[in-house]
Amino acid sequence: MNKLLFLLLFMAPVDNIIKDFYHHHEYVLVAAHRADHEEYPENSLPAIQRAIDKGIDIIELDVRETKDGVLVLMHDKSIEKKTDGHGNVTDLTFSELQGVHLEREGVITSERIPSFQNALEMARGKIMIDIDFKADTRSAMVSTCKLVRDMGMEKQVLFFVYDYKDADLVRAIDPNIPVMPRVHNAEETMAVVKQGRYAILHGDDDFYTDSLMQVVRKANMRVWMNALGDYDDLGEKGFDSLLQKKQVNVIQTDRPEELLGYLRRKGLHR
């Protein structure tokens, strides 16, 4: 068996996504906000599997820590809006959380709150993960990084930080885990570019300009923007409008399957 054929046979699906992420910046990648929740509850295992099945590039997952130190997927501090239960994640044990059910659009489902480990196991080798870390402690950050490292998934994740200065906290725990810093203005953007540490930054409509983000792209970094809200609501017209921002090449959306089809028709995705 020649080397090329061997690689093709034994490459995991995520390997092509990682290759595109780092080496094919001409492609616009799709990130499913809280996984692909068009049919299933957000941050649920079926929503993760749906994103994998549909060929989405990245899933964004919200990570919190329970009272007994288990990492779980949940966007809000409280479980009241997303489940048929009550209380804050930090005040409940994992066992207690397993007694409630996730809801979708006001309808209670049979789905349970997954652990972060369950999510990693499902996604390993198949899709990139944007870790939206919402826990409050350094010990939870250590546990998150350790779990990623123990499962050999460092190349498969992005660790999102809301303040680029917090990236050093992640790097101190595990320098091999890629960080995606959010920037809030041109000054922060240039500070991140000058550090030369990152493969991607999270931008924002409020200060985006093509000239500023061209500097980012020339530094071999991707530009992540959100389609959430107005852009998503307008469908293809919204996607057209967002891509007027010519340097954007990762888009987070609540409509990942629709966006992926749109990008492929435009020749902007593999």
Side-chain angles (χ1 to χ4, degrees), residues 106-149:
V107 177
I108 301 301
T109 73
S110 61
E111 296 302 325
R112 313 279 182 169
I113 297 172
S115 71
F116 182 49
Q117 181 171 345
N118 290 155
L120 290 179
E121 289 169 347
M122 177 169 281
R124 181 162 52 184
K126 299 171 184 174
I127 195 168
M128 289 186 71
I129 301 170
D130 166 33
I131 301 171
D132 192 336
F133 183 74
K134 286 185 162 66
D136 297 324
T137 65
R138 186 180 185 280
S139 62
M141 184 178 286
V142 170
S143 296
T144 301
C145 292
K146 182 178 185 300
L147 190 55
V148 170
R149 182 174 63 250

Side-chain angles (χ1 to χ4, degrees), residues 9-240:
L9 287 174
F10 292 96
M11 280 179 65
V14 76
D15 292 335
N16 283 325
I17 299 173
I18 293 170
K19 181 179 178 181
D20 287 347
F21 180 87
Y22 286 102
H23 303 294
H24 290 284
H25 288 190
E26 70 274 18
Y27 293 136
V28 179
L29 303 186
V30 177
H33 183 228
R34 306 179 195 173
D36 187 347
H37 53 86
E38 291 188 14
E39 294 182 3
Y40 301 102
E42 64 183 44
N43 281 309
S44 69
L45 294 181
I48 294 171
Q49 187 62 56
R50 190 178 195 276
I52 293 167
D53 292 343
K54 296 297 180 180
I56 307 304
D57 303 297
I58 304 167
I59 46 173
E60 182 258 0
L61 301 176
D62 300 294
V63 177
R64 293 188 180 276
E65 187 180 41
T66 66
K67 183 178 180 179
D68 53 342
V70 178
L71 300 169
V72 296
L73 305 189
M74 178 59 57
H75 179 268
D76 299 343
K77 288 183 178 181
S78 167
I79 66 171
E80 293 178 16
K81 290 183 180 180
K82 307 299 180 184
T83 76
D84 58 355
H86 301 280
N88 292 335
V89 174
T90 53
D91 296 327
L92 298 165
T93 65
F94 183 66
S95 178
E96 289 170 330
L97 288 179
Q98 293 308 287
V100 305
H101 298 84
L102 292 170
E103 66 86 27
R104 181 182 177 275
E105 297 184 351
V107 177
I108 301 301
T109 73
S110 61
E111 296 302 325
R112 313 279 182 169
I113 297 172
S115 71
F116 182 49
Q117 181 171 345
N118 290 155
L120 290 179
E121 289 169 347
M122 177 169 281
R124 181 162 52 184
K126 299 171 184 174
I127 195 168
M128 289 186 71
I129 301 170
D130 166 33
I131 301 171
D132 192 336
F133 183 74
K134 286 185 162 66
D136 297 324
T137 65
R138 186 180 185 280
S139 62
M141 184 178 286
V142 170
S143 296
T144 301
C145 292
K146 182 178 185 300
L147 190 55
V148 170
R149 182 174 63 250
D150 288 349
M151 296 187 70
M153 294 177 66
E154 296 97 321
K155 293 181 180 179
Q156 197 174 330
V157 305
L158 301 170
F159 199 114
F160 175 61
V161 293
Y162 289 85
D163 184 333
Y164 78 95
K165 296 176 183 176
D166 290 339
D168 287 339
L169 299 176
V170 181
R171 290 171 59 82
I173 296 167
D174 193 328
N176 294 315
I177 292 180
V179 177
M180 176 172 65
R182 180 162 191 166
V183 290
H184 302 85
N185 51 51
E187 290 74 21
E188 289 186 4
T189 301
M190 293 309 300
V192 166
V193 170
K194 288 176 181 178
Q195 286 181 345
R197 297 176 178 174
Y198 312 104
I200 186 171
L201 62 71
H202 188 305
D204 198 281
D205 266 351
D206 290 345
F207 64 91
Y208 178 97
T209 65
D210 278 338
S211 58
L212 176 63
M213 293 304 164
Q214 190 174 35
V215 174
V216 176
R217 293 287 299 274
K218 286 182 177 179
N220 201 33
M221 299 170 65
R222 279 186 173 270
V223 175
W224 174 300
M225 295 284 287
N226 289 339
L228 312 174
D230 291 343
Y231 293 116
D232 271 347
D233 291 343
L234 290 171
E236 290 202 2
K237 290 183 178 179
F239 300 151
D240 281 337

